[in-house]
Amino acid sequence: MGEKGQAELSWKDRFAALRNLPAFFRMIWQASPALFLGNAAVRLVRAAIPALTLYIGKLIIDEVIRLSGQTGGDAEWLWTLVGAEFGLAVLSTALGRLTSLLDGLLGDLVTNRTSVRLMEHAATLDLEQFEDATFYDKLERARRQTTGRSFLLSGVFGQVQELISVGFLAAGLAVYNPWLLLLLLLAVIPAFIGDNYFNQKSYSLSRSWTPERRELDYLRFVGASDETAKEVKIFGLSNFLIDRFRSLSGQYYLKNRDLSIRRAGWGTGLTIIGTVGYYSAYIWIVARAVNGGISIGDLTFLAGSFRQLRGSMEGILLQFSSLTQEAVYLQDLFDFFEIKPLIHSTEKSLAFPSKIQKGFVFENVGFKYTNSDRWALRNLSFTLTPGEKLALVGENGAGKTTLVKLLARLYDPAEGRILLDGHDLRDYDLIDLRRNISVIFQDYVRFKMSAGVNIAVGDIDERTNQPRIENSAQRSLADSVIAKLPGGYEQQLGRSFGKGVELSGGEWQKVALGRAYMRDAEVLILDEPTAALDARAEYEVFQRFARLTEGKTAVIISHRFSTVRMADRILVLESGQLLEIGSHTELLAKAGRYAELFHLQARGYQ
C-alpha cells in the first residue's frame, strides 16, 4: 500500500534531520524577533534555578542541623536561605507561565506564517502537479506540518534549557564523585535506545500510510457532507462507505496496536534496568552519609541532583528522539517548498498584446497527462483569429477542456507549440497572460463566501468595486438570483457556515458566469457555461455574451448545438484529433461527423 516498505529512520537520518533546525529557527525569528529573544532569555534564567534550589536546600538542612545541635548555627542566615528558596519557587512558577505564554504566541505566529507561505508556494505550482497522486501526498504531508509547530518550538527551546540545567547539576555531582555521572548514563541509556527504536517504527508506519490517511479523510467527508448527502441517500452508499472506512481504519489500528504493545513491553523492561542503575548510585550516596563522608545536607543535594539529573537526561534523550522525528517530518515541509513549477515566465518575457493582431496558432500540438499512455491531444493544428468566436464540439474525452487549458497555459504542450501573434505562448509573462484570459469551467468552484465575492473572483482586485460587481451580475442574469437572497450581495452562500444559503445548479451557474463579465479580458473561454440553465435562460445568456465578446476572441465548449451554431467557426474533435473545422453551414454541407451529431440532437427535439 502507498509507500510501504520505505526504509526506516536510521541514526544517520536523525542527525541529518537536525540540519532542518537552523531553517526552523529562522522561521521562528522571522515570525517575531522580540518574542524569540524574550523566550530565550527567560529559559536561560529558568535553567539555573533547579541546581540553585537544590544547593540552597542543602545549606538549609546543614544550618538546621547546626542549630539543633547547638554548634554555632545562624538563625538569621537560616531564614534568609528559606526566603531565598521561596523566592526561587515563586520565580520558577512565574517564569514557567511566561515560557508557556511565549511558546504559545510564537507557535501561533509560526503556524500562521507557515500556512501563508505554503499557500503562496502552492499558488506558483502547475495544475498538472496537483493532478499527480505522488505530489498530492507531498502536499498533504507538508500541510500537516503547518500546524502543531508549537510542540517542536517548545521542545527545541526546552532541550536547550534542560541541557543548561544538566550542566549545572552535573558539575555539582562531579565535585563529589565523577563516577556518579557514569552510573547516571547507565541508568538512562537503555530506556532511550528502546524509545528511539519504537519512535522509528512509528514514523515509518505513519509516513507509509499517507495515501490511506487521505482516503480515510475523504471517506469521512463523503459519508457526512451536505455536498454528497443526496447521492449517498439515493444510492444507499452509507454501508459501502462505512465498511470501507471500517476496513481501512481497522487495518491501521491493528498495525498500530501491535507496535504499541511491543513498545509497552520493552519499555517496562528497559525502565527497570534504568531504575537499578539509579538505586545503585543512591545506595552509594546513603552509605557515604552513614559513614560520615558527607553531611546530611550533601546527602540531600546529591540524592536530589542525581534524581533530577536522571529525569532531565531521560527527558533530553527521549525528547531528542521525538525532536529528530519531528525534524524529519519538518523536512516534508521544506521538500514541498523545493518543488518548482515547470510552467513559468522567462527572464525576458513579453507583455500580453493590448490588442491581439494575428491570433493564436496551434502547430502540431500534442499533450498527454502524467502517468497516462493515451494522448489527450495529438497533431492539432488550427488558427484562432482575433475577434473570432470558436466553438469546440466532441464527445466526452475528445480533448476539448484540455485544449482550452493549453490555451490558458495551465498546461504546456508535450509536442508542437502554440503561437500568439507570432510568438510562442511560453514567451509571454505568465501572470499577464492569464490576466487577459477569462475561463469559466464546467466544474467551477462554488466558493463558500458571499455572493458578491463569488462574482468578484473573476477580477478579485476589484472586489470592493460594488457597481462593477452589480453590473456583472446583471449581465449574467445573477442579479435576479441575488435579489431573492436575504443578505443580497453580502449573503453567505453554501451551508458550511452560519446563515448560509444554498443555490440551485442553475442559480450557481449564473453567479459563476458573472465572473466572466468581471474580467476585462481579451480572450473569453466558456466550458459548458449553460449546462444547468433552461432553454430561455441559455438563449438570453448567449445574446448578452455575444455583446460582451464584440471585438474579443472567444472559445465556447457546449453539447447544445443551439449554442454552438452561434459561433463563427466550429472545431470538431475526436479522440484528441481535429476531425472537422468550419462554420455551422459549411459543416452541415459536408455531411460529416458534425452533421451527424447535429441531426441526432435535432431529432431528440422533434
Side-chain angles (χ1 to χ4, degrees), residues 62 65-73:
D62 285 341
I65 290 174
R66 279 194 289 270
L67 283 169
S68 63
Q70 305 294 322
T71 55

Side-chain angles (χ1 to χ4, degrees), residues 20 23 35 44 92 97 108 129 196 214 235 335 356 363 383 464 497 511 519 521-522 552 570-571 588 606:
N20 294 326
L35 288 177
L44 183 61
S92 179
R97 294 284 185 178
D108 289 344
Q129 290 172 307
N196 171 71
R214 283 202 294 112
F235 297 118
D335 284 347
I356 298 175
E363 293 184 349
T383 299
T464 59
F497 304 102
V511 170
R519 178 169 292 194
E522 282 294 302
K552 298 181 184 293
I570 300 159
L571 188 154
L588 284 182
Q606 292 174 353

